[in-house]
Amino acid sequence: MRPTTTYYLISALFTLAAALIWGVNTLFLLDAGLDIFGVFLANAAFTAGMVVFEVPTGVLADTVGRRASFLWSVAVLAATTIAYVLVARSGGGLLPFALVSVLMGLGFTFYSGAVEAWLVDALKAGGFTENMDSVFARGSIMSGCAMLVGTLAGGILGDADLSLPYVVRSFALVAAFGVAWIAMRDRGFTPKALTLGRVLPEMRTVLHRSIEHGWRVAPVRAVMLVSVLQWGFMSWAFYAWQPYFLELLGRDAIWVAGAAASLIAGAMILGNGIVEWLSRFCGRRSTLLLWAAGVQTAAAVGIGITDSFAVALILFVFFAGAMGVSGPVKQALLHASIPSSERASVVSFDSMFGNGGGVGFQSGLGWLSRAQSIEMGYVIGGAVTVVALPLLAVLRRAAGAADLIVGRRAGIEAACAAQGLPHVSGVDAVPRGSGAVPAAAAAAPES
């Protein structure tokens, strides 16, 4: 099987498996006996597991091998998914759910980055000379379709029995394990022996690089703090809407939760898809991020204020779409702000910040949901995300050339912007009134 075919199949199976429980997870935990605060403490334990294990599992993937890392991922996730069902059936409680959630976080960190690294190495070893962007784009399309199918199917299965999406998820993970066992081979990469003496120095190196090229760089630090707010709030908001929306609807139709999750996932995909179109009318990444942040804050607060299911769903679609826009733009700005040699370290550090925010938001807003209400969580949590706006304003002043959207018109537009000349082709390389642009913008790499 060709590496690209294997990559598409594995990405689709893994995303399908993950998405099966996205629309029903909160309802499942509530049905298992947890209150709303307990649900978010269990979810926070999952996110904390990702924070703790992100770097060690990355080191493992770069030593023992990417194939081994992925196989460990699906094995751990299949086992912990079944364990979730067993804990629920035995009347387990918060502590068992939290322990299983931590191990589930471990499973996801084994997956993080390993399959992409395996693909790039395998293609290079095979003499692949085409554009990698198109390969990743097709993989994203496959994953997006799998996500839509998974969230909708999870809602339909959950309508019959809330445990069914978890059982089916385990079977999908077993299928992914089988495909990887047969088709994945570490080509272009030589596995190394993993020892404790190797892991600890490597972790110290990653931490040093992350601080030096991440936290101490003003625009990168701003991006990380925005991640704490936006992804932290999203990690609570995505699961809080399930019982809240059904309450607004006035009936326990689990399939509606699955359909809504599918619609929300589709909105995020659409947001990803319109980034290129939006960039034709906007020449700075910070402008897109500021508009997206404003939409997210307004929509989040609106979700908590309204008492209409339809209005709340529409607002969440806008919220998810804005997240879909900001995600790739933030990634592009981050990559343009750090040296290529430190890319993996800083990106992992940013991920850890986002997940750390998830632990805080899920715990804090989970408590508020029990003490007050879920809608109050949307109002307060959404209002807190407004802090992203001044952070993005700081980023706008400090990012320099990395803030410019450089694409098909890179050479002409960036040069015109650097020299203060009028925009060309009806597109503002830099919006009017945005201030001076560093001359280095003309030499900015394509992102």
Side-chain angles (χ1 to χ4, degrees), residues 23-24 151 166 280 397:
V24 300
T151 49
Y166 293 81
R280 298 174 186 173
R397 291 194 298 269

Side-chain angles (χ1 to χ4, degrees), residues 343-370:
R343 203 160 276 167
S345 300
V346 177
V347 170
S348 292
F349 204 50
D350 175 60
S351 176
M352 291 174 65
F353 263 71
N355 286 326
V359 174
F361 270 90
Q362 288 179 97
S363 302
L365 294 181
W367 173 84
L368 183 63
S369 298
R370 184 177 68 180

Side-chain angles (χ1 to χ4, degrees), residues 83-133:
Y84 241 50
V85 176
L86 295 177
V87 170
R89 291 293 170 90
S90 64
L94 177 58
L95 182 59
F97 273 122
L99 292 174
V100 174
S101 295
V102 169
L103 294 176
M104 196 173 283
L106 168 64
F108 272 99
T109 58
F110 273 123
Y111 173 81
S112 177
V115 177
E116 288 184 14
W118 168 84
L119 173 68
V120 173
D121 287 339
L123 290 178
K124 285 185 177 180
F128 184 82
T129 58
E130 297 176 30
N131 188 0
M132 282 299 303
D133 291 15

